[in-house]
Amino acid sequence: MTNACEQLAVLAPKFKLTREKLLRARHLPGHVYSSPELYAMEKERIFMTHWLSVARVEEVPNVGDYLTFEVMNEPIIISRPNPDEISVCMNMCLHRGVAVASGCGHAKDFSCPYHAWTFSVDGKLIAAPGMKESEVDMKNARLKKLQVKIWRGWVFVNFAEDPIPFEEYMGVMEDKLWWFQSDQCKVARKAIIDVKCNWKFLVENLIDIYHVGVIHRSTFGGFVKGEKLRFNLEANGAWHTRYEARPHSKGGEQVFPTLPWATEESPGIACKAGIYPNINLSMRADSLRMWHIWPISPGETRVVCYMLFPEGASSIPNYDAEMEKYVAFVKQIIAEDAMMVESLQNASGSKFFEPGPMAPLEEALHHMENHYVDLMTA
Ligand code: FES
Ligand SMILES: [Fe+2]
């Protein structure tokens, strides 16, 4: 098996075709969706250097609250050591590396289940039983702390030692995302779906407007005029768009109250955006959604969909029943996509697979696929 650099060299002629202008370009070669070596390189070049949204602030509301999470097998603890601080540490004991916390909950401290070294909620080593005679100085030792940024109710982390400043990473998106006021919302539901495909197929699928009228015709496809839709393509692989559609419900009718910041807008307002590598944001007149796409292995991905509503939403009659219908609608959309991306994954490993030409409606995919080539070949 060749290493990642050798594989990229072999793929260079195919990348050249992806780099052509949209109407001449071809999609990425299947190999980038199936190679374990390129997957490992993506971890280093993309997921270990970009700002990643790993939790909601509301998931750790009180001092001592914590939850655990993994990004490409890197285990972390997200906790609230102080009323106004959220901290993210590696969930790896300083003795042998066992995870000191599991699941989520409330803790005074974390005691490692293996030999009972104890850490504060902030990750400082506070007790190491049976180590008195050790000559290794562990006085100020602590679980490795990651850089954290709170943005509109989300906890972003960066695994890099010296990451680009968050503000620079967000860039112009800060202003373009006026419609995504998720700090004024709460998570009503969180759907977690595992899909058997590479993470990039899902990221691309969520910006692929070309398929909407086809596979989603029985859910929301009929309400989106894809041919009129134009994407704004920004630096660092980001993009955003605004178009006319209908709220997410079977008949397209609006069920929940209009978002307070959208009352002056068209009732058919629909906005979507992407922040590279794995965040997709979406808005209708009455609701917000944030999608996180987490790589599990080259051919497995976890999709997390946060369904967000402002406080007033729960005041509608039959709120619980309406929310169940809404969740079922969103899950149905994901199920429709899942069948397609799993089929794409199958093709990506075939020796007969040749990347096809991009459609004019795939300009955001073109932007994203080119950004991927930039990152991997820099
Ligand atoms: S691995 Fe944690 S105390 Fe030994
Ligand atoms: Fe879709």
Side-chain angles (χ1 to χ4, degrees):
M1 188 50 73
T2 55
N3 67 33
C5 292
E6 289 162 349
Q7 290 178 29
L8 288 171
V10 171
L11 295 175
K14 303 243 174 185
F15 288 156
K16 228 169 142 189
L17 299 176
T18 303
R19 286 199 181 285
E20 291 275 358
K21 63 176 194 182
L22 175 65
L23 298 181
R24 289 170 173 271
R26 286 181 176 266
H27 284 286
L28 287 170
H31 193 71
V32 304
Y33 301 93
S34 56
S35 157
E37 292 76 22
L38 294 184
Y39 178 83
M41 192 175 191
E42 288 167 359
K43 177 178 173 182
E44 292 314 314
R45 293 211 167 179
I46 301 174
F47 285 85
M48 293 294 113
T49 59
H50 286 58
W51 286 94
L52 304 169
S53 170
V54 291
R56 283 284 292 172
V57 170
E58 65 190 280
E59 291 179 293
V60 283
N62 303 309
V63 171
D65 288 351
Y66 74 93
L67 59 105
T68 56
F69 192 67
E70 267 189 24
V71 176
M72 298 180 95
N73 295 331
E74 298 296 347
I76 54 175
I77 311 172
I78 301 129
S79 65
R80 188 184 284 276
N82 300 302
D84 50 6
E85 188 197 354
I86 289 183
S87 142
V88 180
C89 299
M90 295 307 297
N91 189 7
M92 230 179 254
C93 182
L94 298 183
H95 179 218
R96 302 294 307 275
V98 165
V100 301
S102 60
C104 60
H106 185 85
K108 270 202 335 286
D109 48 46
F110 301 119
S111 176
C112 178
Y114 204 8
H115 314 97
W117 286 26
T118 304
F119 300 85
S120 70
V121 171
D122 190 27
K124 290 190 194 80
L125 178 64
I126 48 182
M131 292 295 290
K132 251 202 198 96
E133 279 133 49
S134 163
E135 292 176 15
V136 180
D137 180 16
M138 298 293 281
K139 227 182 283 130
N140 296 314
R142 54 162 308 121
L143 301 177
K144 185 180 166 48
K145 212 167 177 171
L146 301 181
Q147 299 220 20
V148 178
K149 177 79 191 184
I150 306 301
W151 182 82
R152 300 193 195 183
W154 301 93
V155 182
F156 277 80
V157 297
N158 198 309
F159 284 87
E161 286 303 328
D162 190 19
I164 72 162
F166 182 84
E167 292 65 28
E168 203 178 304
Y169 172 76
M170 204 41 98
V172 296
M173 296 301 278
E174 182 67 47
D175 294 334
K176 307 291 181 191
L177 293 174
W178 65 269
W179 46 268
F180 197 80
Q181 299 194 28
S182 49
D183 44 346
Q184 295 192 41
C185 291
K186 289 236 174 300
V187 178
R189 293 286 192 285
K190 188 167 149 184
I192 301 177
I193 301 112
D194 289 342
V195 187
K196 286 197 167 47
C197 75
N198 185 267
W199 68 276
K200 298 190 290 302
F201 279 138
L202 276 160
V203 171
E204 291 159 18
N205 175 73
L206 282 170
I207 57 174
D208 174 6
I209 207 72
Y210 188 28
H211 77 259
V212 168
V214 186
I215 64 166
H216 299 306
R217 60 184 169 272
S218 64
T219 46
F220 72 106
F223 303 129
V224 179
K225 302 277 163 283
E227 63 284 358
K228 293 218 181 102
L229 204 149
R230 285 294 163 268
F231 289 92
N232 300 288
L233 308 174
E234 305 289 357
N236 302 327
W239 57 273
H240 55 97
T241 182
R242 175 176 176 166
Y243 51 104
E244 285 290 308
R246 300 279 283 274
H248 273 343
S249 68
K250 220 168 170 95
E253 69 280 357
Q254 183 172 333
V255 174
F256 301 99
T258 302
L259 299 170
W261 54 93
T263 50
E264 311 280 292
E265 306 293 332
S266 148
I269 185 172
C271 298
K272 254 174 112 51
I275 300 169
Y276 204 82
N278 69 335
I279 297 175
N280 187 285
L281 309 100
S282 132
M283 177 252 206
R284 291 291 196 273
D286 61 350
S287 60
L288 298 182
R289 284 159 300 287
M290 196 197 249
W291 303 75
H292 292 172
I293 306 296
W294 294 111
I296 304 294
S297 74
E300 295 168 296
T301 299
R302 176 157 296 169
V303 181
V304 184
C305 177
Y306 294 82
M307 303 174 218
L308 301 139
F309 291 85
E311 214 140 274
S314 57
S315 63
I316 62 159
N318 300 325
Y319 170 76
D320 289 328
E322 292 297 349
M323 183 55 70
E324 285 322 307
K325 277 198 248 169
Y326 173 78
V327 173
F329 189 82
V330 172
K331 283 190 171 167
Q332 171 65 23
I333 296 172
I334 304 171
E336 289 166 352
D337 286 322
M339 289 207 297
M340 296 302 110
V341 287
E342 292 188 357
S343 187
L344 290 178
Q345 186 65 28
N346 224 16
S348 73
S350 164
K351 61 179 181 171
F352 298 109
F353 176 76
E354 280 298 331
M358 293 193 193
L361 282 175
E362 291 178 312
E363 58 179 339
L365 276 86
H366 181 250
H367 177 59
M368 189 88 88
E369 290 179 35
N370 273 284
H371 185 60
Y372 173 79
V373 176
D374 290 345
L375 292 171
M376 294 293 277
T377 57

